[in-house]
Amino acid sequence: MYEFLIKNGTIVTSSKRFKANLVTNQGVIIAVTNKKPKTKRVIDAKDKLIFPGIIDIHCHLRDPGFEHKEDFETGTRAAAAGGVTFVFPQPNLDPVPNTVENFKKEVEIGARKSLVDFNPIASPLLYEEGWVPKLAKEGTAWFKIFQKVAAYPYSSPASTTNTAHIYEAFKEIAKTGLRCSIHPFDKNFFEEAPRIIEKKGIPMTLSNYLKNISTEKEMTSAAYQLYYLAKKARMKWYALHCIFPDYIELVRKIKASGELDVIATAETLWSMSDKVYDVKQEEYIHVGWPPLNLNAVWREINDGTIDCLGTDHAPHNREEMMTDDPLNSHLGFPFLEWWGHIMLNEVNKGSFTLEKFVAITSENASKIFGFYPQKGTLQIGSDADIIIVDLEREWTITSERVYTKCQLNPFHNWKIKGKVTHTILRGQIIMEEGEVMGKPGYGKFIRPTY
Ligand SMILES: [Zn+2]
């Protein structure tokens, strides 16, 4: 007898939706059918939608090195709660995964603690030691550089402001055929902020600081330089944090010209919330993000300029975020456990279609980074990574149970429509109606198959 039947649901792909039953066995999909074979377990998905499990291309699980903020277990428990079955943890860790030994250490931690599948993103900045090809061989899906040196999270060896080093790393990466994502950043804009604030005679708060960095100019001007260097090095560029119109416009032009192989992703969408709820203290904290207008992002998702969305799940403790010194505040919000739900709410708001949801939350990432058709699709032979969705469910996000270690919730009391009711990883239910029952160690390191 086969293991699992999900019956009467509507399957959504990146191009269509249709009624069918899914049968899984030994962790893979073995039938997409109108038949209902006898199985050990059945879920009736009547009036529900069925999608591939969400792939989060950008999260910070803080493990190893910063486990007081988050770890592989707490972070991936949050992932399961948000409909995410496959994560790409970013490399600003301690130690940084910039050698085979460090990379293997992270894989070993994930294999022991992760509830969902994972692929650690490596740092290429030890290019002179020849680590780039070795890390590619170990199975990192791409490389990541933080073009910023500042307080945490930019204070690690995964960061550099040395453009010449970035170019050398690009040339090494080009030889591997992998991509490199770079957080684009021009430190001059960053360093000018205090002077501007002083000149304006306004208090040196985090809120004023963030408003005076000129983030769009800081990112876009750096992105123009990175585009030139990537083209010169003939490296496949991964344009990260495409949330500002001018930056998106650059990527759109490059894509139209075909002069450089570029993909674009949008992250830090947690800045749709400007405050977080502290579950332990039972109060809101205003951190002071400048409000981000996401209309440009939705528009570019719909015309295909932006290929994937990522959570940029970036948990910190309250004390680390709320310092007297804005230059040393740790920046970022947790997002993983609300991700699928919040994006379904955007579908209901008309920001993008159900088919686009599949494209930008799973299928495109799987294809771009070499995991298709094992991940990101509901085909016969694919891993049975599935989410079941009640698109009509109206509910309020509360903080009764928060899985992320920092116990902060940017979406407390948000009334939304659309809910991931089940997260299924390789045929096992790891979350049902908000209750995570996945086990640490069930998640696996997945290598790309180019
Ligand atoms: Zn990030």
Side-chain angles (χ1 to χ4, degrees), residues 7-43:
K7 65 178 185 182
N8 304 324
T10 298
I11 293 175
V12 186
T13 75
S14 62
S15 58
K16 58 178 191 265
R17 46 193 107 160
F18 56 96
K19 281 209 178 303
N21 306 310
L22 274 182
V23 187
T24 84
N25 202 45
Q26 296 187 329
V28 298
I29 294 168
I30 58 156
V32 184
T33 172
N34 53 15
K35 297 200 184 90
K36 292 173 187 167
K38 260 206 157 11
T39 53
K40 287 180 201 153
R41 177 159 208 178
V42 182
I43 288 185

Side-chain angles (χ1 to χ4, degrees), residues 74-93:
T74 53
T76 57
R77 188 166 283 132
V84 175
T85 52
F86 189 15
V87 294
F88 294 90
Q90 302 296 298
N92 51 332
L93 301 166

Side-chain angles (χ1 to χ4, degrees), residues 253-267:
K253 277 188 202 152
I254 300 170
K255 281 192 165 189
S257 73
E259 60 190 313
L260 171 67
D261 184 339
V262 62
I263 63 127
T265 66
E267 301 89 357

Side-chain angles (χ1 to χ4, degrees), residues 57-76:
I57 45 137
H58 188 129
C59 60
H60 299 272
L61 299 182
R62 312 297 193 204
D63 193 356
F66 305 92
E67 295 93 331
H68 65 287
K69 296 171 187 279
E70 189 77 288
D71 64 44
F72 243 108
E73 181 176 337
T74 53
T76 57

Side-chain angles (χ1 to χ4, degrees), residues 109 388 434:
I109 293 167
I388 303 178

Side-chain angles (χ1 to χ4, degrees), residues 124-132 165 168 172:
L125 294 176
L126 288 183
Y127 61 90
E128 286 167 294
E129 310 289 334
W131 288 111
V132 165
H165 287 174
E168 291 303 315
E172 282 300 298

